[in-house]
Amino acid sequence: MLSNNIIVFSSGVSEKNGITGSIKDKLNDMGYVCSDWRELFSSANDADNIALLPMLIKKIPTFDFAVLICEGHDTTYISRGENSVCVKTMRDNVLFEIGLCAMAVGLNHTILVTDRDVYLPDDLRGRNGQLAVKQITVASDTEFRGESDVAHICEQISEHMELEKEHINQVIIGAAASGACGYASNFICRTLEHIDDELTLNIDGQVRKVFVPLEKIHMHIVLPCTLDESVLNDIHKKQGDLMQGSVVSARNRPAEFHYYFENDELHIVDYPTNIVTSYDTAKMILKLEADDEYDEKASCRFVAKELALFETTLKTVLNAEFVSQVVEQHYSSATEEVKDKLKNNVMSVVSHRLTITRCDE
């Protein structure tokens, strides 16, 4: 679940007439965490000579959604063949920021608040000529009519975010997404493919070979609530408090796991360690040279977003189609009967007895 951190962009005119602040304050009151775009530069070493573009590139991806107030404050003449058309256009910096946000947080997470008369570039069009990003329009005279208009706009923003909060950005996929896919294939599927075969369990200090019926096997994936060295050490400690087992007949090598028994049912528990890739990626991106000091808030946003992306991806890919692709890839020479058995083993647990939680839940 995304944490709904929002970055709000606007022109200087929108800031002076209070529109930006009103929308930002209302969204904060609704439980979202909004940051004004100027706050991105608060950690700059030289306020009079800020490296604007590098700062935007490294900070925008740390947010979940972008709201851009795009009013027609400027007048532009656009040539169309032999004719010239006069249109109302948004400030050029806001137009540029739309492009950055569309790539950094995704089309579905980019929201434009415009007046009805503002001209939008053709490149913002998607399938069937429809706008590729979310657009919320206000009065054609570009004036907001008090708190009721602001409330209505923010309600539409909230409705869109709730609808799209688990949508994955297809343009830029974070390390967490690829990590989750690899984890689903190489741990979850690999462990469960032969889970109905003979298991090797360390029980009270003795290694025993046992058989556990599919309907008595549960799997619990526990994700950290944040990422830092202390949390990662805590994960290893929690794993150490569990007993160890393995599926000896798993593909390539034995699939090792941690477990406990409860009411004669086997509970496999795993804390994904490959999620540290997201932590390393976040640190690397936030170290981009932009002549600024370390930004703790940006780091926390980025880590929260990567953790949410890992969780969302894992829940999305664990379906029959994904499991079938994994089995077909790794057991291409097996008979259809064997493949069906392996797929059934995985889906039996994944569909009915798999839970994905956070450490603090």
Side-chain angles (χ1 to χ4, degrees):
M1 189 70 67
L2 291 176
S3 54
N4 293 343
N5 284 298
I6 306 170
I7 180 66
V8 180
F9 286 95
S10 62
S11 67
V13 177
S14 300
E15 291 169 2
K16 289 179 181 178
N17 62 22
I19 295 172
T20 304
S22 296
I23 290 178
K24 180 172 172 287
D25 291 343
K26 182 62 177 178
L27 288 172
N28 281 328
D29 290 342
M30 296 170 69
Y32 298 101
V33 182
C34 294
S35 298
D36 184 274
W37 68 279
R38 295 182 186 276
E39 297 174 25
L40 302 185
F41 311 113
S42 60
S43 60
N45 291 319
D46 185 355
D48 296 324
N49 189 29
I50 298 174
L52 295 174
L53 184 56
M55 199 84 80
L56 291 172
I57 290 174
K58 68 189 283 188
K59 295 291 183 67
I60 294 176
T62 69
F63 292 90
D64 301 310
F65 289 89
V67 173
L68 301 102
I69 302 174
C70 313
E71 299 172 284
H73 292 308
D74 291 341
T75 300
T76 303
Y77 287 89
I78 300 177
S79 297
R80 290 293 181 264
E82 297 180 356
N83 300 318
S84 181
V85 181
C86 180
V87 295
K88 291 183 177 181
T89 53
M90 66 190 78
R91 289 293 165 88
D92 52 1
N93 67 296
V94 178
L95 179 61
F96 177 69
E97 287 149 2
I98 292 175
L100 290 178
C101 293
M103 292 295 289
V105 302
L107 292 172
N108 292 56
H109 286 199
T110 301
I111 303 169
L112 310 186
V113 178
T114 76
D115 56 61
R116 292 187 179 90
D117 294 336
V118 70
Y119 173 80
L120 298 179
D122 291 339
D123 285 354
L124 287 179
R125 302 292 168 184
R127 292 176 52 191
N128 304 320
Q130 296 179 347
L131 201 64
V133 298
K134 175 65 176 178
Q135 181 184 20
I136 298 172
T137 58
V138 296
S140 58
D141 60 1
T142 74
E143 293 293 334
F144 285 80
R145 296 185 173 88
E147 294 183 4
S148 61
D149 276 357
V150 172
H152 182 59
I153 291 168
C154 292
E155 286 172 4
Q156 293 183 73
I157 293 174
S158 178
E159 288 175 3
H160 179 75
M161 290 193 296
E162 291 302 309
L163 182 65
E164 298 291 341
K165 61 186 176 184
E166 293 189 354
H167 183 275
I168 297 173
N169 182 5
Q170 298 120 324
V171 179
I172 298 178
I173 301 299
S178 58
C181 290
Y183 176 77
S185 172
N186 298 322
F187 177 76
I188 295 177
C189 289
R190 195 169 73 89
T191 300
L192 297 177
E193 287 162 356
H194 293 277
I195 198 69
D196 63 336
D197 292 345
E198 188 177 82
L199 303 178
T200 299
L201 303 180
N202 188 328
I203 303 176
D204 298 328
Q206 295 184 347
V207 177
R208 301 180 184 179
K209 295 180 179 179
V210 301
F211 293 93
V212 181
L214 274 174
E215 62 271 16
K216 291 193 173 184
I217 297 176
H218 303 256
M219 179 173 280
H220 308 274
I221 309 303
V222 186
L223 305 178
C225 54
T226 184
L227 284 178
D228 56 38
E229 297 301 329
S230 62
V231 170
L232 298 178
N233 291 335
D234 188 47
I235 287 176
H236 290 295
K237 180 181 178 182
K238 289 180 178 179
Q239 287 178 322
D241 293 335
L242 298 167
M243 293 180 285
Q244 291 185 311
S246 67
V247 181
V248 178
S249 53
R251 55 178 146 101
N252 302 327
R253 66 186 189 282
E256 299 181 348
F257 57 83
H258 296 84
Y259 77 95
Y260 67 88
F261 266 109
E262 185 176 87
N263 299 326
D264 294 328
E265 295 187 324
L266 176 67
H267 292 259
I268 297 173
V269 182
D270 194 68
Y271 299 79
T273 54
N274 71 324
I275 205 168
V276 298
T277 304
S278 300
Y279 182 51
D280 293 338
T281 301
K283 290 191 295 184
M284 178 180 66
I285 292 175
L286 291 173
K287 286 181 180 178
L288 288 173
E289 181 58 45
D291 191 31
D292 64 329
E293 299 175 352
Y294 176 71
D295 188 337
E296 178 68 26
K297 290 183 178 179
S299 178
C300 290
R301 285 195 305 266
F302 208 140
V303 168
K305 185 175 180 179
E306 286 292 286
L307 286 169
L309 182 58
F310 189 99
E311 180 178 358
T312 299
T313 304
L314 203 56
K315 291 177 178 178
T316 301
V317 302
L318 286 174
N319 53 46
E321 181 181 359
F322 177 83
V323 171
S324 178
Q325 291 175 350
V326 170
V327 171
E328 294 290 343
Q329 175 185 356
H330 292 284
Y331 299 92
S332 57
S333 60
T335 65
E336 292 302 315
E337 182 180 2
V338 169
K339 291 179 184 178
D340 288 342
K341 174 177 175 291
L342 298 177
K343 296 173 187 176
N344 178 69
N345 287 351
V346 177
M347 290 307 301
S348 175
V349 177
V350 167
S351 298
H352 306 291
R353 294 177 300 281
L354 172 73
T355 60
I356 301 175
T357 59
R358 294 292 182 99
C359 284
D360 55 345
E361 295 179 352

